[in-house]
Amino acid sequence: MFNPATSDGIDRAIAKAKDAQLEWAKTTWVQRRRVLKTMLRYILRNQDAIATVACLDSGKTKVDASFGEILVTAEKLKWTIQHGEQALRPEKRPSNFLMMYKHNEVRWEPLGVVAACVSWNYPFHNLIGPILSTLFTGSAIIVKASERTAWSSQYFTSIARASLAACGHSPQLVQSIVCWPQTANHLTSHPDISHITFIGSRPVAHSVCASAAKSLTPVCVELGGKDPAIILDDVKNLPKVASILMRGVFQSAGQNCIGIERIIALRTVYPQLVSLLETRIQTLRLGSSLEDPEVDVGAMVSADSFPRLEGLIAEAVSQGARLLIGGKRYPHSTYPKGHYFSPTLLVDVLPSMAIAQEECFGPICLLMRADSLSSAITLANSTMYALGASVFGSSTKDLNTVVTNVKAGMVSVNDFAVYYAVQLPFGGVGGSGYGRFAGEEGLRAICNTKSVCRDRFPAWISTAIPNAVDYPIKNAGRAWEVCMGVVGLGYGERVGERMSALWKIMSNS
């Protein structure tokens, strides 16, 4: 049970955050790091409790919670503690000949109050991630958690709020709300919200962006993916690669925006890979890892997608694909009300099939055969999505060819999703959204980017308007000659051109 927020409740939450941010913006890097270190310390000491809560609310296994919730959150905290200040320090920028007497810099300053509308598939990480980044920039945040994980969001939010309070700062900097979709527009169009991070589906993103446009609020949009993993014929240690693919496909029962949705293998390695994966997938065990530690795949957050998944699989089979394992919902004898879908292996899939184009977001291993490197890349680029991608092989030339030509915001070479484990900027292009969070780019994206230009030697030299172009202009002809002289002095290609331009300025001033 939860009490959904109303429009008035959202207004009150924003007002509290706005008031608290005024003092928070004055804090030092040392003070902000202390809060993040407190959060990290709590997380490291309470991993079991955090994983258990995530499992109870989302159905995932504890191993999935460790990898997808705790490890990546600890990394994000550690990276921000170690590198956040460097990312947000004022940065010097080059000048030019005309402005050589100026000092130029870019600053990243707090925006005020920002918002994050986050998805249910990673209830801990997706909620805590925007919070810790926002706090480090000096802003406050309103987090709208999914109604499907409303219970866990209260506990996870309390970790951040308690860390602030323990360090002597206002917990009102972090506000967590849960509301129905019809109320969410009040948050996303609110004039006191300076930026929105949205993690979710494409249809909802359209609504969020349309709402945000009313107040001209910028939005970072992280949507779904149909991420390909390309397997080249010269790949070494195929069993090892198969293990990485299994994790990429079945992590969190496939409910992973950067999960591997398509395995594209070249002809020679294709049958070997099918055999390896078939042997392993058919032994996967479903259930609750909180009661049975031997479980491999947990429940899905709901059964809403089951008819669609079953329909996509059946349609693909009718069009020539081969279903080797699974393909339908799984009636669990111990958990008859659980939302389990059978781990599925579907091979010989063609790009014309709907299942090769639509994001499944389920425990479905889909294999496609490619005749050549170029055809593998074509297959990888055949959907509207372009979030992440992986490529496995030995030839540096071929690997680089894939990295250069695959349409994606992120690529892992001989691995899966490791770009997020080192806090590189996260996000996609095309149907997978726009904007980035994580890393230097992510921190700067939720700041006010301020350009500052000042005199380098104010006591000696500063800007003076030449008489010929000083208002009111007395002689338009002389003014024009001075203008041409200024442009020529600054951008002439040869010394003679610049000297002539300087004489033009002096003789007409």
Side-chain angles (χ1 to χ4, degrees), residues 485 488-489 491-504:
L489 179 63
Y491 306 102
E493 294 181 345
R494 293 184 293 273
V495 174
E497 289 178 329
R498 291 192 171 191
M499 295 303 294
S500 176
L502 178 59
W503 173 251
K504 188 173 291 189

Side-chain angles (χ1 to χ4, degrees), residues 388-404:
S390 300
V391 57
F392 297 82
S394 298
S395 167
T396 301
K397 178 183 177 182
D398 289 345
L399 292 171
N400 286 337
T401 297
V402 173
V403 169
T404 300

Side-chain angles (χ1 to χ4, degrees), residues 22-333:
L22 296 176
E23 287 301 315
W24 180 247
K26 302 173 185 176
T27 54
T28 65
W29 299 120
V30 172
Q31 290 174 304
R32 296 176 194 176
R33 273 195 293 268
R34 186 183 174 207
V35 173
L36 267 56
K37 288 177 180 178
T38 302
M39 291 174 60
L40 178 58
R41 191 176 304 116
Y42 179 90
I43 291 168
L44 294 177
R45 294 176 179 176
N46 294 273
Q47 295 182 58
D48 190 73
I50 292 169
T52 299
V53 171
C55 292
L56 287 170
D57 220 17
S58 67
K60 65 185 59 181
T61 67
K62 289 185 75 173
V63 170
D64 288 344
S66 179
F67 282 133
E69 306 275 16
I70 297 172
L71 183 148
V72 289
T73 303
E75 164 58 24
K76 194 178 187 75
L77 278 162
K78 191 70 172 177
W79 185 93
T80 308
I81 291 166
Q82 292 181 332
H83 307 291
E85 180 181 349
Q86 179 63 37
L88 297 181
R89 280 180 183 166
E91 186 175 279
K92 292 181 180 179
R93 294 296 173 87
S95 193
N96 57 42
F97 183 75
L98 291 176
M99 295 286 109
M100 67 173 69
Y101 62 98
K102 295 292 185 180
H103 171 87
N104 311 312
E105 70 177 26
V106 178
R107 297 180 177 185
W108 290 273
E109 298 180 347
L111 276 174
V113 181
V114 304
C117 303
V118 298
S119 57
W120 44 260
N121 55 326
Y122 288 103
F124 177 61
H125 178 69
N126 284 353
L127 184 138
I128 290 292
I131 290 175
L132 72 90
S133 294
T134 298
L135 290 177
F136 196 78
T137 66
S139 290
I141 186 168
I142 314 295
V143 183
K144 181 203 166 296
S146 169
E147 58 271 22
R148 289 182 170 178
T149 51
W151 174 71
S152 62
S153 68
Q154 302 309 303
Y155 165 54
F156 295 148
T157 302
S158 73
I159 297 174
R161 291 171 64 93
S163 297
L164 284 162
C167 296
H169 305 289
S170 174
Q172 302 297 345
L173 286 160
V174 177
Q175 301 287 328
S176 177
I177 64 169
V178 179
C179 64
W180 299 119
Q182 59 267 29
T183 310
N185 282 345
H186 188 74
L187 171 65
T188 52
S189 63
H190 202 287
D192 286 335
I193 296 297
S194 301
H195 183 278
I196 298 171
T197 297
F198 173 78
I199 304 173
S201 68
R202 186 181 175 92
V204 178
H206 283 291
S207 176
V208 169
C209 292
S211 176
K214 297 174 184 177
S215 53
L216 297 179
T217 304
V219 186
C220 172
V221 181
E222 195 278 288
L223 307 179
K226 192 69 179 172
D227 288 13
I230 296 176
I231 318 299
L232 306 180
D233 276 337
D234 64 353
V235 67
K236 294 179 179 178
N237 198 342
L238 195 57
K240 177 182 176 181
V241 171
S243 293
I244 296 174
L245 296 175
M246 290 286 289
R247 173 56 55 186
V249 172
F250 296 106
Q251 165 82 21
S252 293
Q255 299 165 115
N256 186 0
C257 59
I258 52 171
I260 296 175
E261 291 252 344
R262 296 172 294 154
I263 299 174
I264 302 169
L266 269 65
R267 280 195 170 275
T268 301
V269 77
Y270 184 88
Q272 305 170 51
L273 190 57
V274 170
S275 178
L276 270 174
L277 292 173
E278 183 176 15
T279 300
R280 299 185 64 167
I281 293 172
Q282 65 188 2
T283 62
L284 292 177
R285 298 155 295 186
L286 284 78
S288 170
S289 67
L290 298 179
E291 298 186 19
D292 181 2
E294 304 301 317
V295 163
D296 299 301
V297 180
M300 296 179 69
V301 77
S302 80
D304 291 352
S305 66
F306 288 2
R308 182 180 69 88
L309 294 178
E310 290 172 337
L312 286 171
I313 293 167
E315 181 185 57
V317 171
S318 72
Q319 294 172 348
R322 291 187 295 134
L323 178 62
L324 302 185
I325 303 170
K328 58 185 178 181
R329 66 194 73 194
Y330 180 82
H332 204 291
S333 57

